[in-house]
Amino acid sequence: MSDLYVVAYDDSPASQKALDFAIERARPTGASLLIAHVLEWSPYSFLTPTELEERHKRRTEEMDRAKTALLDPVVVATRKKGIEVEAVIRYGNVADTLIDIAEKKNANQIILGRTGAAGVAARVFGSVASSLAQASPVACTIVP
Amino acid sequence: MKNNSFNRAVLAAGPALLALSGIAQAQPGDLDDKVNQIFSSSTGWFVNLIFAPFPGTTFPWIVAWLVIGATVFTLYFGFVQFRAVGHAIALVKGDYSDPDDAGEVSHFQALATALSGTVGLGNIAGVAVAVGIGGPGATFWMILAGLMGMASKFTECTLGVKYRNEYEDGRVSGGPMYYLTKGFAERGLPGGKVLAVMFSVFCILGALGGGNMFQANQAHQQISGIVGDYPGWITGLVFAAVVFAVIVGGIKSIARVTEKVVPFMGILYVGAALIILAVNYNHIGWAFGQIFEGAFTGLGVAGGFVGALIQGFKRAAFSNEAGVGSAAIAHSAVRTKEPITEGFVSLLEPFIDTVVICTMTALVIIITGQLVAGPDGNYLLNEAGTMIQTVDGNSGVSLTSAAFGSAISWFPYVLALAVVLFAFSTMISWSYYGLKAWTFLFGEGETTELVFKVIFCVFVVIGAAANLGPVIDFSDAAIFAMAVVNIIGLYFLMPIVKRELNSYVSRLKSGEIRKFA
């Protein structure tokens, strides 16, 4: 079985860099990629009654939008480069969900970009990259 | 030329401004009085009907109705409120939630939204009213009503999810009006539609009364208690403008801020109450003594122990809304394949609302010695003989405020903010409940929805301007009228809930339903 790399992807330049890096590594090793797009979501957040009513509708819309506008073009572009690739959209805490995906799919590596923020907020709350560096169960490459 | 027209405009505006200021000076008292008069004379008959006592007694039939309902559900479901608490907490934590459903409405979210509709003035002002009129003993009956009400809530919220409408565009909407129509049709019973229409009418009145006017009224009392007396319609207009901005203007940011601040305020409130209780720990035993003694003797309150019982049950029902049917509307949006799971989750609601938060309020009022007792240990009544004498003649929310203030001097300011925010979040919730009932009656559509929303805002102003007495009577009456219809429906539909319960419990035992986490 060939290697599998999970690539965290949103539409940021940083995640584009991570994807490019992953493609470069995958080509010589013959690894396949799993492009993961995680929408930040907490089941413990507070919503108004109207938001509850529309939640299922909004979620469907968000997933559709993410698939058609974000993931489909990237998957097509990556395939053109001769790399085997799948895509997945999930809701949850970004770091936890990436770890979960990597574990379930038996991935060899998680590859992600970083925003480079080093302000107070990033120090207090941490970032996805630093959480993964701490907790990832597989090798984790943070692409600068 | 330019100057000339400017001068003319000023000259023309002058008298108009003078006239306006004249109105502003003459209006306050008059307008409030007029609103009050019209309001109490037009709603009196309805209040009298709902609170009519059994012939020859002072016991209102509606209180018996609620107690019997809660008792029937408690026995029918074999004390489900005590057996299922552990499982309910596991559900809220998300132990049984399918990870693939992430991003959908969770049990926690449905519970939190329903709670922010119920936790509010009932817990702060309502309890003060109950203890002020019924004495400490009212607390005992309130807790009992809260514990029994858990079974009512379980029944109605299970049905709310089971018979909700799921529209093609993915929206969901549920509540008693849907389970009354669909559930009755499924069992081949007649009259479901009639009950649903009646429920909707009362729900609209309840939304305008307890969910709106009572809130506006008490919010005004709080604010004027701090900044000094001023006419209620001013508070009403400000509140109405903000509510309008949220429900008509769709300004979600305001709603989102309150949704986040309200839970924090709730925790702060309970925290402050716990601190006061901790400081007075040597009085806690005495306070519970007062509660138990008062529950069965009345300790001299008007109406004796029956008076305490009536107040306790009334305020519990008003606060946790068990059996009223409103929560079924909020809970029905949850994402689950098993309607019964939301029933389990919802039974935590009266517990948090009544057994925890209301009891805190009552204990603080009793422990800080706000109620004046005579040398024989019985409480002294005020001159009119309607309620217990309090230290500064306070009643309602100002009684709670004084109780907290006597221990933590600055807390009344925090409380005022909490009351205003609770009032606001309750209004937003009830505007939604009312709207659902309204669209059930008149159909969905932007114009019909707008009509209701505007009416709702008008009632905010009326509520803030009217006196507490008539407003509280009408609020109670409308909400209890919902319970009359809803509980009739629940009696006919409870076998369906029982079937769901049995099937779920057996699958849980056999391991067919498993934890994901």
Side-chain angles (χ1 to χ4, degrees):
Chain A
M1 213 181 109
S2 66
D3 284 0
L4 177 70
Y5 303 159
V6 172
V7 187
Y9 187 80
D10 51 22
D11 57 355
S12 69
S15 70
Q16 186 59 52
K17 268 195 214 162
L19 180 59
D20 292 342
F21 179 87
I23 291 170
E24 244 170 69
R25 302 298 121 153
R27 208 171 270 149
T29 56
S32 54
L33 301 184
L34 179 62
I35 300 180
H37 179 58
V38 183
L39 293 137
E40 182 68 44
W41 171 260
S42 164
Y44 305 112
S45 58
F46 294 91
L47 304 176
T48 65
T50 319
E51 285 175 309
L52 289 189
E53 173 181 332
E54 292 173 349
R55 186 60 219 152
H56 183 64
K57 181 182 162 194
R58 295 263 172 273
R59 181 181 186 263
T60 316
E61 286 169 2
E62 283 166 12
M63 303 240 320
D64 284 350
R65 204 182 311 134
K67 186 174 172 340
T68 51
L70 199 71
L71 291 181
D72 284 353
V74 189
V75 168
V76 170
T78 311
R79 271 199 194 123
K80 269 193 192 143
K81 291 173 184 160
I83 310 283
E84 206 174 300
V85 61
E86 295 288 334
V88 60
I89 308 169
R90 291 274 297 273
Y91 277 85
N93 175 286
V94 179
D96 290 348
T97 310
L98 287 172
I99 290 171
D100 187 57
I101 293 170
E103 277 177 344
K104 286 219 173 98
K105 299 277 180 183
N106 278 325
N108 309 77
Q109 197 174 162
I110 300 176
I111 299 171
L112 74 159
R114 60 168 195 205
T115 50
V120 177
R123 273 178 208 211
V124 175
F125 299 112
S127 62
V128 175
S130 55
S131 314
L132 273 178
Q134 295 268 353
S136 175
V138 293
C140 175
T141 307
I142 296 160
V143 182
Chain B
M1 198 59 203
K2 223 177 184 180
N3 270 341
N4 249 347
S5 62
F6 177 75
N7 282 342
R8 242 180 289 146
V10 170
L11 280 176
L17 280 174
L18 273 177
L20 264 180
S21 67
I23 290 171
Q25 272 164 11
Q27 285 285 46
D30 295 355
L31 190 68
D32 283 11
D33 281 351
K34 208 166 253 168
V35 166
N36 210 23
Q37 221 171 39
I38 296 170
F39 184 73
S40 45
S41 64
S42 58
T43 57
W45 65 272
F46 178 62
V47 174
N48 290 337
L49 182 71
I50 294 292
F51 291 118
F54 286 116
T57 65
T58 53
F59 199 94
W61 67 275
I62 185 72
V63 174
W65 175 256
L66 285 167
V67 179
I68 293 169
T71 313
V72 168
F73 302 130
T74 301
L75 297 175
Y76 187 72
F77 295 111
F79 294 91
V80 66
Q81 64 264 59
F82 303 117
R83 291 192 293 134
V85 170
H87 189 61
I89 292 169
L91 285 166
V92 174
K93 275 167 60 193
D95 290 356
Y96 292 89
S97 307
D98 186 344
D100 288 342
D101 280 344
E104 302 278 7
V105 176
S106 66
H107 283 300
F108 177 89
Q109 285 165 332
L111 177 68
T113 303
L115 261 176
S116 80
T118 56
V119 172
L121 288 168
N123 307 66
I124 302 173
V127 175
V129 171
V131 176
I133 300 174
T139 315
F140 175 85
W141 299 111
M142 195 177 68
I143 295 172
L144 190 67
L147 290 173
M148 309 256 277
M150 291 165 79
S152 312
K153 192 83 80 162
F154 163 79
T155 318
E156 64 192 11
C157 290
T158 303
L159 291 168
V161 175
K162 186 166 170 67
Y163 293 106
R164 64 185 168 189
N165 273 4
E166 290 184 43
Y167 302 106
E168 274 183 17
D169 65 0
R171 285 179 307 122
V172 284
S173 124
M177 43 290 180
Y178 298 106
Y179 62 68
L180 288 170
T181 37
K182 290 197 213 166
F184 271 54
E186 193 182 293
R187 294 208 60 198
L189 296 165
K193 186 88 189 172
V194 178
L195 287 176
V197 168
M198 281 169 71
F199 177 84
S200 300
V201 171
F202 293 139
C203 182
I204 291 166
L205 294 177
L208 297 176
N212 178 341
M213 292 200 294
F214 176 69
Q215 311 293 330
N217 188 289
Q218 291 290 286
H220 170 68
Q221 232 194 53
Q222 264 304 285
I223 300 170
S224 64
I226 282 178
V227 303
D229 204 20
Y230 68 99
W233 57 267
I234 297 177
T235 313
L237 279 180
V238 174
F239 254 80
V242 182
V243 171
F244 187 88
V246 173
I247 63 175
V248 181
I251 300 182
K252 288 211 177 103
S253 52
I254 302 176
R256 213 162 275 157
V257 169
T258 36
E259 292 297 323
K260 290 206 170 73
V261 177
V262 161
F264 172 73
M265 282 289 173
I267 293 165
L268 192 69
Y269 183 78
V270 174
L274 283 173
I275 290 171
I276 295 174
L277 295 183
V279 170
N280 296 291
Y281 71 95
N282 50 338
H283 293 347
I284 293 178
W286 168 81
F288 274 104
Q290 291 283 294
I291 289 173
F292 283 110
E293 211 183 324
F296 300 100
T297 66
L299 287 173
V301 304
F305 99 90
V306 178
L309 185 148
I310 292 172
Q311 283 303 322
F313 275 114
K314 249 173 96 166
R315 304 263 55 99
F318 188 70
S319 169
N320 66 39
E321 296 165 19
V324 169
S326 51
I329 303 175
H331 279 283
S332 61
V334 72
R335 190 72 181 171
T336 179
K337 292 178 197 83
E338 305 286 344
I340 200 93
T341 55
E342 197 54 26
F344 289 136
V345 168
S346 72
L347 59 75
L348 296 173
E349 210 189 308
F351 186 83
I352 298 170
D353 179 274
T354 308
V355 181
V356 177
I357 305 182
C358 285
T359 308
M360 290 290 167
T361 308
L363 281 173
V364 169
I365 294 174
I366 298 165
I367 272 185
T368 56
Q370 296 297 311
L371 307 172
V372 181
D376 61 349
N378 277 353
Y379 288 100
L380 301 175
L381 297 184
N382 63 2
E383 278 169 29
T386 49
M387 67 171 279
I388 297 171
Q389 268 185 37
T390 51
V391 173
D392 294 311
N394 292 312
S395 70
V397 71
S398 47
L399 177 58
T400 312
S401 183
F404 277 87
S406 71
I408 307 173
S409 63
W410 47 267
F411 200 76
Y413 299 101
V414 179
L415 190 66
L417 185 63
V419 164
V420 171
L421 286 168
F422 283 159
F424 182 72
S425 77
T426 306
M427 279 181 187
I428 298 298
S429 295
W430 273 92
S431 75
Y432 179 79
Y433 303 157
L435 183 67
K436 288 285 119 184
W438 181 269
T439 53
F440 180 80
L441 290 179
F442 302 112
E444 293 187 14
E446 262 176 44
T447 324
T448 40
E449 289 181 17
L450 185 66
V451 170
F452 175 77
K453 288 170 176 172
V454 170
I455 295 174
F456 192 85
C457 291
V458 170
F459 271 81
V460 177
V461 184
I462 300 176
N467 278 346
L468 178 59
V471 169
I472 214 171
D473 287 345
F474 174 72
S475 308
D476 288 1
I479 284 182
F480 289 140
M482 290 167 69
V484 173
V485 182
N486 187 43
I487 290 179
I488 293 177
L490 295 183
Y491 285 146
F492 285 106
L493 298 175
M494 63 186 187
I496 296 173
V497 180
K498 184 106 174 197
R499 213 161 52 218
E500 294 268 332
L501 177 64
N502 290 341
S503 138
Y504 184 83
V505 168
S506 67
R507 277 178 296 148
L508 194 66
K509 272 190 187 140
S510 74
E512 193 183 329
I513 294 169
R514 248 175 290 159
K515 283 190 184 187
F516 282 95

